[in-house]
Amino acid sequence: QVQLVESGGGLVQAGGSLRLSCAGSGGTFSNYVMGWLRQAPGKGRQFVAAINWSGNTIYYLDSLKGRFTISRDNAKNTVYLQMNNLKPEDTAVYYCAADRKRVGQVNDYWGQGTQVTVSS
């Protein structure tokens, strides 16, 4: 049973940066595509980014390209989301996800979520 634990969320002013981390345990981390989704208040869950096991295939929500960067360290069983130039509309609960095929709305495993709040 894979367990995912996010960290790094918090309150930041617009224009600031945060780096989210997601530590995995209980499985062979490199077997999984890893990714991030987010859910803002009153809205559905939205895909943010995903990365394959080797790191050579990466997907982003188009509107986030250039501000968010996903990466992974398989030796540490950890995936990261570097978020720069944050905007109030980035405020959401950010979830880490793992899936054997692709990260989307339905995934094999989810983290508990970490709150990101961007003040204007």
Side-chain angles (χ1 to χ4, degrees):
Q1 182 76 10
V2 172
Q3 293 184 329
L4 304 173
V5 179
E6 301 100 333
S7 61
L11 174 64
V12 63
Q13 288 187 334
S17 298
L18 284 174
R19 188 176 82 153
L20 305 183
S21 299
C22 172
S25 62
T28 304
F29 193 70
S30 59
N31 286 347
Y32 294 91
V33 177
M34 302 296 297
W36 294 89
L37 296 93
R38 66 185 183 182
Q39 187 165 18
K43 296 187 177 181
R45 202 164 287 185
Q46 181 184 47
F47 172 82
V48 172
I51 184 169
N52 73 335
W53 72 272
S54 66
N56 62 6
T57 301
I58 292 175
Y59 299 99
Y60 292 102
L61 180 67
D62 283 346
S63 61
L64 299 178
K65 289 180 180 177
R67 293 197 299 122
F68 286 21
T69 303
I70 189 171
S71 61
R72 67 189 291 168
D73 185 338
N74 289 335
K76 295 182 178 180
N77 288 354
T78 301
V79 63
Y80 304 97
L81 184 68
Q82 177 68 42
M83 306 184 293
N84 297 328
N85 190 22
L86 283 161
K87 303 176 181 181
E89 53 263 42
D90 294 318
T91 295
V93 177
Y94 284 71
Y95 296 92
C96 176
D99 196 271
R100 290 176 181 83
K101 295 183 179 180
R102 59 183 293 272
V103 167
Q105 292 296 326
V106 179
N107 301 291
D108 291 335
Y109 301 102
W110 292 88
Q112 82 287 352
T114 187
Q115 177 70 46
V116 171
T117 303
V118 184
S119 62
S120 57

